Amino acid sequence: LQRWLKLLRKIIWFYLGSIRAILYQVYITLATSTKIGGGGEPFEHVRKMYEEEEKKEGKKASSVIGKRSLSWCDAATLEEVKLIAKAIGKNITLNDVFVSCASSAIARQLAEHRQLFTTRTDGPLSHKHHPYVNVAIPVHLNGGFLLPGKSVGNNIGAMVARIPGEINNYDDNDTTDSSVDTAVQRLKTVHMSIQKIKNTPAPLISYVMAKFCSDFLPESVTKYIFQNANANAAFVLTNSRGSPKKLHIRGQPVESATAFFPLPPGVPVGIVVGSYAGVVSISVTAEKWAIPDADKFLGWILEEYGRLRDEAVMIERKGKGKEIFKSSE
């Protein structure tokens, strides 16, 4: 009887969760649809402005369209990131931390684009700010763990969440994302947004749909569906879990390892948060028209991470936690 009840609970969860996931996907897609007054994919305005600018100057092609910008670095120890997440909230994950940091960097990049094109063209980049942006998050269906005798394969689904972007009273002349009261506030909001969709079968649904489209539909149709399935996401962020210890090749240690994300159709920014030998690294792969200077963009991510760490230390000093940072200082 217990087995049948457990199976029934799973069926009910899948059924209700699927409805919730589909409705949420429709909501965030419509919320960013330009056809009904939404802001669209935030960086789409940037690409159009570059194209219009190049046409006015009589050039056949933009100097940035079709090019990529890259940057990567080691960000922190894995232990420190986990301690920061634990200090802020017991259910906050490493992914939550860096999705939050990346969303802050996205807001600063959009503000910089707006300021740049306000001075270089006849009007502002867009009459609308983007208080919220969508992020696509790939999810391994096995939870990121490889079972004995199994390979990584292509058992990967995805989910899209609506998270803070340029929120509250934003100042066009301020590119420091000062609209967010604290980095912790942003992180907690990001966590709640991701948690809503994480508790549904969204990754499994996306995996089944992607496999069906790839196996049975024409390539052009599949590409169109994939471009619209990302719900106008401004960026995609994934976590790459590496070996907890240094690997060796012919007796020589591999000191660091970094992964890069191949940009999916319609998404201009890809971020990989990797871990290897206890160190967390970050890589940025982006369309150059969206992120002209990937080093600068990555610096903004690290600045937000620094603010998170400082605020986590303040939380500790106020007696809301133990001296969790003593070992990492």
Side-chain angles (χ1 to χ4, degrees):
L1 181 61
Q2 291 295 328
R3 184 181 300 176
W4 284 104
L5 288 175
K6 186 176 181 181
L7 177 61
L8 180 61
R9 283 196 294 268
K10 287 184 177 180
I11 293 174
I12 294 174
W13 170 82
F14 184 81
Y15 177 73
L16 296 179
S18 297
I19 294 176
R20 181 180 178 185
I22 293 171
L23 290 176
Y24 183 76
Q25 180 77 12
V26 171
Y27 159 68
I28 61 177
T29 301
L30 292 177
T32 55
S33 174
T34 55
K35 295 180 181 179
I36 59 173
E41 191 278 296
F43 288 104
E44 182 67 12
H45 297 290
V46 181
R47 183 182 63 80
K48 290 180 179 179
M49 290 297 288
Y50 269 116
E51 290 177 346
E52 291 177 4
E53 189 179 67
E54 294 296 344
K55 287 180 181 179
K56 289 181 180 179
E57 295 179 4
K59 297 180 181 180
K60 295 182 179 180
S62 170
S63 59
V64 294
I65 298 295
K67 295 183 179 181
R68 297 284 172 87
S69 57
L70 300 172
S71 186
W72 66 95
C73 73
D74 291 339
T77 65
L78 182 59
E79 178 188 14
E80 181 184 88
V81 178
K82 288 182 176 179
L83 291 174
I84 290 173
K86 184 178 180 181
I88 297 171
K90 66 177 183 178
N91 294 321
I92 291 176
T93 65
L94 179 145
N95 256 31
D96 293 338
V97 169
F98 286 104
V99 168
S100 179
C101 294
S103 71
S104 175
I106 290 289
R108 294 178 69 170
Q109 184 67 77
L110 290 171
E112 184 175 88
H113 277 308
R114 184 179 296 106
Q115 189 176 45
L116 174 65
F117 279 99
T118 298
T119 58
R120 289 173 57 183
T121 62
D122 295 332
L125 177 61
S126 172
H127 67 284
K128 290 185 177 180
H129 291 88
H130 296 272
Y132 293 91
V133 297
N134 295 340
V135 55
I137 304 174
V139 179
H140 198 283
L141 299 182
N142 291 334
F145 294 95
L146 293 181
L147 300 176
K150 298 290 185 179
S151 62
V152 175
N154 197 31
N155 299 321
I156 299 175
M159 58 185 184
V160 183
R162 188 165 171 78
I163 61 173
E166 303 173 278
I167 63 175
N168 299 334
N169 298 321
Y170 200 88
D171 181 3
D172 276 342
N173 296 318
D174 182 7
T175 60
T176 61
D177 195 25
S178 58
S179 63
V180 180
D181 293 336
T182 66
V184 167
Q185 176 190 348
R186 176 180 284 270
L187 173 55
K188 288 183 176 180
T189 306
V190 165
H191 168 71
M192 289 187 292
S193 299
I194 294 176
Q195 200 65 29
K196 289 179 183 177
I197 192 65
K198 185 185 289 185
N199 293 330
T200 72
L204 179 59
I205 295 172
S206 68
Y207 168 78
V208 172
M209 291 184 63
K211 186 171 180 57
F212 173 82
C213 292
S214 300
D215 291 345
F216 299 105
L217 299 181
E219 182 179 348
S220 58
V221 176
T222 299
K223 185 176 181 180
Y224 174 81
I225 292 175
F226 283 8
Q227 284 179 327
N228 289 274
N230 63 46
N232 296 309
F235 68 104
V236 56
L237 186 145
T238 188
N239 175 250
S240 175
R241 185 181 302 173
S243 171
K245 297 181 180 179
K246 286 186 179 181
L247 301 178
H248 293 73
I249 299 178
R250 293 187 177 183
Q252 298 299 316
V254 178
E255 296 296 338
S256 65
T258 303
F260 294 88
F261 199 94
L263 295 178
V267 182
V269 184
I271 300 170
V272 177
V273 178
S275 61
Y276 171 74
V279 176
V280 175
S281 64
I282 306 174
S283 74
V284 176
T285 306
E287 300 284 3
K288 198 169 181 63
W289 50 263
I291 310 293
D293 188 341
D295 290 338
K296 186 176 184 179
F297 181 83
L298 183 53
W300 288 336
I301 294 177
L302 296 178
E303 285 179 22
E304 182 72 2
Y305 175 77
R307 283 193 287 269
L308 268 178
R309 187 186 189 283
D310 292 343
E311 291 175 22
V313 171
M314 292 300 295
I315 291 175
E316 174 196 353
R317 290 176 178 173
K318 289 180 180 179
K320 295 184 179 180
K322 299 179 181 179
E323 294 186 9
I324 59 174
F325 293 95
K326 182 178 291 186
S327 60
S328 63
E329 290 181 341

